[in-house]
Amino acid sequence: MRRLSLFRKTLVAMLLLSLVPLLTSSLILATNLGRVREELAGRIADSADRQASESLRLRAEQVAESTADFLRECEADLRLAATLPRTAAILGAFYESRRGEIWRRDGTAAAPREVHELIPRYRSLAVVDRRGRETFVIRDGKVVPKKELRDVSDPAGTAFRSEEYFRRTRALKRGEIYVSHLTGFHVSKDEQLAGAPDPESAYDGKEYRGVIRFATPLFDHRGAFDGIMVLSLDHRHLMEFTQHINPGSNSSVVFPSYKSGNYAFIFDDEGWIITHPKYWDIRGVDRRGRPVPPYSARTPAADVERGRTPYNLDQAGFIHPNYPRVARMVRERRSGHVDITNVGGAKKIMAFAPIVYDTGDYRAYGIFGGVTIGFQVDQFHETARAGAALINRQLREHLRLSAIIVAATSIMVALCAWLLSRGVTRPLALLSERARRLAAGDTAERVEIAARDEVGELADTFNRMADNLLRTLDELKGSRLTILEERNFKESVLESISSAIMTLSPDGLLTSINGTGREFLGESARLGAPCGEILRGWGDMPERVAAVLAGVKGYGREPLIVERDGRERHFEVGFFPIHPGRDGGITLTMRDETEKERLREEMTRLDRLASLGKLAAGIAHEVRNPLTGVSLLLDDLHDRAGLDPENQALMEKALQEIERVERLIAGLLNFSSPPRTTFREGDLNRVLQDTLLLLRRECERQGIALAFAPGEVPPFAFDIEKIKQALLNLVKNALEVMPDGGTISVTTAAGDRFATIAVSDSGPGIAPADLPLIFEPFFTRKGAGTGLGLSIVQRIVEEHHGRIVVESAAGRGTTFNIVLPVQG
């Protein structure tokens, strides 16, 4: 079989791909166009209905979610108000801070105006005492005088003559909230219209001014009921969610058209309408506080004429059976749409969605109510009819043009396919040949094509690519070595730094980290992990990083104190931009400053102790000399004959007190000028045992059991006398806190590099507030003593380069652990 050339293949393929689909599609289109025309018109109408209905349903769900969020904001406001100090200034500032915008009509029907106004969210804020008497009220932006305050424990004393929010709230537990149904004086048809023919033109009529009560109980410091806090939501803010919806477009209106049927309203979980363009459809009470009955088939004609007809969907089946059905489906937390006819006779599609909310009176069904949005059916179908007529015209025109285009296109395609195939395939064959030679290593060959079209440009590009490829290969070899060396150098520098260094992307994800950073952060330091995850447990570091990334916080260094591994650690953290601006993320550095901080505190303490020692030495020296003279004079007077026994007893008492002062001075001198530490190898257990023998008799006199449990401790170098002094101080302190007997135990143990001495007693323990102060000089809770014993013990341990740790709890005794190094 003869092999087809690339030219013939391209020509045949282009003809087939161009002419066959064109001719086939034209034939099929002409055959089916008549049948599709009618079917398409019907589908457009159905699709328009479905899309519009679904759009209304989605819009109703959005309004329902916004309403639920708004109600939860009111709950949050109530919880905040309940925690505030009950002063006029603070509660007034809180009340003024809660405002919202309403969009309302103003002026007259002849000269209407639209007003955007910020008004308080709450009609009133009230604090009620435990007896139900209002103690502080802000109503309509003004503080109510005391003489006008009400007793709301009686429903008849409430604003609308029948409210039971005090009794209902009093029965709640701490933190629970009571939310009432909408309450307000009913506005009749005559009151709203005020002579106008319809609600759209009623500018001078009466406005519905109801409230929804949010209340929570208050308790005093003993947990006893102390009253209630009440926020009364202004009904006008609830109206804002439906008042301005224009279902026919994405724009809003200041007041909807009731006659058109294109409006929205909200009903509560009991089926009552609570927002509506017709105020007389909204639930309410009469001036005596009695609920106005719902509009039904049995409503007197006089009430219908006057508009005393609040609307309850459960009672509206006589108008259209879908009204009770919508109320029932909303209570089942279902959304959807139904066909319906309103009181004005307008046929429309009504979409509905539940407002999910379960606080207070709304716990029964778990909903606040439902949102409905209605739109006239005729307006849906108008779009479909216009679309069908347009389709018919376009299809007929299309048939006529298609026949002309198919004929002309067939001729043009055949000619173009021949020319294009020839012009493309010849240069491509030449390029293919030169490319094979270049791949074989013949770098001297180039493609010579005289054409100035894209194929010619392709040939020139091929020649330049060949030249650049040779140069680039040589450059890549050198660049690769340079890049590897630079990368290894940077990695080596970063890994050798003792600070943690990491980079974060603009959205807070970890992009790189050095070895020190991995040691600090552990397994959470994964590349790509969010900063909130890798810095969890590092105090407020996630918030700081987020603030820097958001531009709220500037760059620089700052301290950080966190609790890590059971102890407080100090860090210096730094935030620096990777590139100018904030688009490139940040570099975060963390340096451990814990040891530096500990050394600073230790130097401060040593300086304070040195100054205290110098002061104590000076005072002791100045006091000791005159005290010696006084002691000698009193001793001489005591030994003289002729003194009566009473004076002699006083002399003896004075001499004893002087001896006590002498011992105090000796202690001060010993603390301020301790003897030089002399290290020599010894047996720690033997030294402790000899020291405890000196104390055994005194322990027996006080009824205290003294126990010694020596461990395996090898000989090592320490100052024997000072270790004895430290043990004596600790045991004597234990004796002083157990005058009625108890237990003292001393144990020793040794590890690889340290020896441990533990002194425990069964005394009353040390108060937690005193633990940080027990090693401070002169600190004591005993009636007598210098307060230097534990300070001396601490200094002895520090001279041995060891440490002392105390464990104590009130009523469970105290343990002092002395840790001494056995090497070096």
Side-chain angles (χ1 to χ4, degrees):
M1 184 176 180
R2 185 178 177 183
R3 180 181 177 185
L4 294 176
S5 64
L6 179 61
F7 168 75
R8 291 191 176 93
K9 289 180 180 178
T10 305
L11 179 60
V12 172
M14 293 185 69
L15 289 173
L16 291 175
L17 290 174
S18 301
L19 294 178
V20 172
L22 181 62
L23 295 173
T24 303
S25 63
S26 298
L27 181 62
I28 295 173
L29 182 62
T31 303
N32 298 328
L33 206 53
R35 184 175 65 254
V36 171
R37 185 167 52 228
E38 289 78 15
E39 183 179 352
L40 189 59
R43 290 187 178 183
I44 288 175
D46 294 339
S47 177
D49 285 352
R50 286 195 303 271
Q51 290 181 3
S53 300
E54 187 65 14
S55 175
L56 289 179
R57 183 186 65 82
L58 292 175
R59 194 168 184 183
E61 289 178 351
Q62 291 174 354
V63 174
E65 290 177 2
S66 299
T67 305
D69 291 342
F70 177 73
L71 295 172
R72 294 187 187 96
E73 288 178 13
C74 295
E75 287 188 31
D77 287 347
L78 178 63
R79 289 192 173 91
L80 175 59
T83 63
L84 296 175
R86 299 170 204 167
T87 65
I90 292 178
L91 292 178
F94 168 81
Y95 178 88
E96 288 297 327
S97 68
R98 296 307 190 263
R99 287 179 172 267
E101 184 183 43
I102 64 169
W103 182 19
R104 62 180 178 83
R105 301 181 301 175
D106 200 359
T108 64
R113 291 188 301 114
E114 296 180 9
V115 177
H116 292 268
E117 182 179 7
L118 278 176
I119 66 169
R121 176 179 291 180
Y122 302 103
R123 180 84 176 274
S124 67
L125 177 153
V127 179
V128 183
D129 65 20
R130 63 174 61 90
R131 296 184 300 275
R133 186 71 186 175
E134 292 176 340
T135 59
F136 178 80
V137 176
I138 301 175
R139 186 176 295 118
D140 294 330
K142 298 179 180 179
V143 176
V144 177
K146 288 187 177 180
K147 63 181 180 180
E148 297 179 16
L149 297 177
R150 304 186 179 105
D151 182 357
V152 297
S153 63
D154 181 5
T158 59
F160 299 107
R161 307 290 189 269
S162 58
E163 298 174 85
E164 296 183 342
Y165 57 85
F166 177 78
R167 179 182 64 81
R168 298 287 300 277
T169 306
R170 183 173 185 171
L172 299 180
K173 299 177 182 179
R174 185 190 298 273
E176 293 183 339
I177 292 177
Y178 165 74
V179 184
S180 73
H181 285 90
L182 176 67
T183 306
F185 292 124
H186 181 259
V187 176
S188 68
K189 177 180 179 181
D190 293 339
E191 290 174 330
Q192 180 183 1
L193 297 182
D198 50 56
E200 291 93 317
S201 55
Y203 281 74
D204 301 321
K206 188 175 181 179
E207 188 177 18
Y208 185 92
R209 295 298 300 275
V211 298
I212 296 177
R213 309 282 190 187
F214 290 77
T216 189
L218 303 174
F219 298 88
D220 60 21
H221 65 281
R222 295 171 299 179
F225 176 73
D226 196 33
I228 66 172
M229 172 69 71
V230 186
L231 294 179
S232 302
L233 174 64
D234 193 329
H235 172 258
R236 289 178 292 176
H237 290 289
L238 202 59
M239 289 282 287
E240 286 296 298
F241 286 98
T242 57
Q243 185 83 338
H244 311 301
I245 294 177
N246 183 8
S249 68
N250 292 324
S251 61
S252 300
V253 294
V254 65
F255 195 90
S257 170
Y258 175 75
K259 291 185 295 185
S260 70
N262 300 336
Y263 61 89
F265 66 86
I266 296 176
F267 62 93
D268 64 20
D269 63 335
E270 295 178 344
W272 291 96
I273 288 181
I274 58 176
T275 72
H276 199 278
K278 295 194 312 181
Y279 297 158
W280 63 88
D281 281 358
I282 299 175
R283 73 180 298 175
V285 297
D286 61 20
R287 294 298 169 176
R288 296 182 181 180
R290 298 173 300 184
V292 178
Y295 183 30
S296 68
R298 297 182 299 276
T299 300
D303 285 349
V304 175
E305 181 63 25
R306 288 185 300 158
R308 294 188 77 254
T309 54
Y311 210 90
N312 189 304
L313 270 63
D314 293 324
Q315 305 293 326
F318 71 99
I319 298 174
H320 197 287
N322 276 339
Y323 279 120
R325 179 171 170 241
V326 167
R328 184 174 62 256
M329 293 177 69
V330 165
R331 292 191 187 103
E332 296 171 357
R333 301 191 184 186
R334 295 162 59 189
S335 60
H337 53 82
V338 295
D339 293 329
I340 213 155
T341 303
N342 68 3
V343 179
K347 294 182 178 181
K348 60 182 183 177
I349 292 177
M350 188 171 78
F352 59 90
I355 302 171
V356 180
Y357 184 71
D358 60 357
T359 303
D361 284 348
Y362 304 96
R363 191 173 291 111
Y365 298 103
I367 62 165
F368 178 76
V371 175
T372 72
I373 302 177
F375 193 56
Q376 278 201 35
V377 174
D378 290 341
Q379 295 185 26
F380 283 133
H381 295 166
E382 182 64 31
T383 303
R385 286 192 293 269
L390 178 62
I391 289 173
N392 287 332
R393 289 195 302 271
Q394 294 294 330
L395 288 178
R396 286 193 297 269
E397 182 67 21
H398 177 74
L399 286 174
R400 187 178 66 82
L401 292 176
S402 294
I404 298 173
I405 292 173
V406 168
T409 302
S410 300
I411 298 172
M412 293 176 62
V413 165
L415 180 60
C416 291
W418 187 86
L419 295 174
L420 185 60
S421 299
R422 182 174 180 81
V424 171
T425 54
R426 287 186 62 195
L428 287 179
L430 183 59
L431 278 172
S432 177
E433 176 63 22
R434 296 295 185 266
R436 282 195 295 271
R437 293 184 181 182
L438 180 62
D442 186 1
T443 59
E445 286 289 339
R446 296 293 183 267
V447 178
E448 300 295 338
I449 294 177
R452 296 183 180 181
D453 55 10
E454 287 80 358
V455 176
E457 292 181 2
L458 179 62
D460 293 339
T461 303
F462 177 84
N463 294 332
R464 290 195 300 271
M465 180 190 69
D467 297 335
N468 293 334
L469 182 61
L470 296 176
R471 290 194 300 271
T472 302
L473 287 174
D474 295 335
E475 293 173 357
L476 283 176
K477 292 178 182 178
S479 299
R480 182 175 180 276
L481 295 176
T482 304
I483 291 172
L484 289 175
E485 292 176 358
E486 183 176 350
R487 186 191 65 183
N488 294 336
F489 172 74
K490 290 181 178 178
E491 289 182 353
S492 176
V493 171
L494 286 175
E495 293 298 326
S496 65
I497 293 176
S498 61
S499 298
I501 300 177
M502 64 196 81
T503 57
L504 300 173
S505 66
D507 52 357
L509 302 181
L510 182 67
T511 55
S512 67
I513 186 170
N514 67 348
T516 306
R518 291 189 181 91
E519 293 178 6
F520 283 178
L521 302 178
E523 296 179 356
S524 64
R526 295 177 291 100
L527 295 183
C531 64
E533 176 183 331
I534 64 176
L535 296 174
R536 185 180 296 119
W538 285 82
D540 62 344
M541 275 298 291
E543 290 77 9
R544 297 192 194 185
V545 172
V548 173
L549 289 172
V552 178
K553 186 184 181 76
Y555 301 116
R557 301 182 186 274
E558 54 189 50
L560 172 68
I561 302 175
V562 294
E563 191 79 17
R564 303 295 296 176
D565 302 326
R567 63 191 184 96
E568 186 177 81
R569 295 180 64 181
H570 296 255
F571 291 85
E572 181 187 75
V573 297
F575 306 95
F576 307 99
I578 296 178
H579 302 301
R582 302 183 182 272
D583 296 336
I586 63 170
T587 299
L588 172 62
T589 64
M590 301 175 64
R591 185 168 62 203
D592 193 343
E593 300 283 322
T594 304
E595 185 63 21
K596 181 190 291 185
E597 183 67 18
R598 188 190 68 79
L599 292 175
R600 186 188 66 77
E601 292 177 355
E602 182 66 16
M603 290 300 297
T604 302
R605 190 181 70 84
L606 292 176
D607 289 343
R608 188 171 66 252
L609 290 177
S611 301
L612 184 61
K614 292 178 181 179
L615 177 62
I619 293 175
H621 180 73
E622 293 298 327
V623 172
R624 195 173 214 179
N625 291 335
L627 194 63
T628 301
V630 173
S631 177
L632 292 173
L633 292 174
L634 288 176
D635 192 40
D636 182 52
L637 289 173
H638 178 268
D639 293 338
R640 288 186 182 182
L643 285 177
D644 57 84
E646 183 179 355
N647 287 331
Q648 285 185 342
L650 291 174
M651 293 292 182
E652 289 181 3
K653 183 64 176 176
L655 288 171
Q656 290 174 1
E657 291 300 315
I658 290 174
E659 288 179 2
R660 193 168 72 84
V661 173
E662 283 279 358
R663 289 195 300 273
L664 176 59
I665 292 172
L668 287 171
L669 291 174
N670 184 41
F671 177 75
S672 62
S673 302
R676 181 182 179 84
T677 303
T678 303
F679 291 92
R680 65 176 185 272
E681 190 172 284
D683 186 344
L684 180 64
N685 288 333
R686 181 63 177 273
V687 171
L688 299 183
Q689 189 171 19
D690 292 344
T691 305
L692 294 176
L693 284 174
L694 302 175
L695 299 166
R696 191 168 299 280
R697 182 61 57 84
E698 185 174 354
C699 291
E700 291 174 353
R701 283 198 300 270
Q702 286 188 217
I704 293 175
L706 180 62
F708 177 50
E712 294 286 340
V713 181
F716 68 97
F718 62 93
D719 191 313
I720 295 175
E721 296 303 322
K722 290 195 174 184
I723 294 299
K724 283 183 179 181
Q725 182 183 1
L727 181 62
L728 285 171
N729 287 356
L730 293 177
V731 175
K732 285 183 177 180
N733 278 354
L735 289 171
E736 291 173 355
V737 299
M738 296 188 296
D740 298 326
T743 301
I744 299 176
S745 62
V746 181
T747 60
T748 60
D752 294 337
R753 296 183 298 156
F754 298 96
T756 304
I757 306 170
V759 181
S760 303
D761 65 59
S762 60
I766 302 172
D770 291 342
L771 281 174
L773 307 173
I774 59 174
F775 293 110
E776 294 293 328
F778 307 112
F779 175 78
T780 180
R781 293 294 187 193
K782 298 177 289 186
T786 62
L788 296 173
L790 290 179
S791 297
I792 293 174
V793 172
Q794 185 187 41
R795 189 185 64 208
I796 291 173
V797 173
E798 290 175 347
E799 288 174 352
H800 283 76
H801 302 286
R803 66 180 186 275
I804 181 169
V805 180
V806 61
E807 300 173 1
S808 182
R812 292 190 293 177
T814 303
T815 299
F816 286 90
N817 292 296
I818 297 175
V819 181
L820 302 174
V822 299
Q823 299 177 0

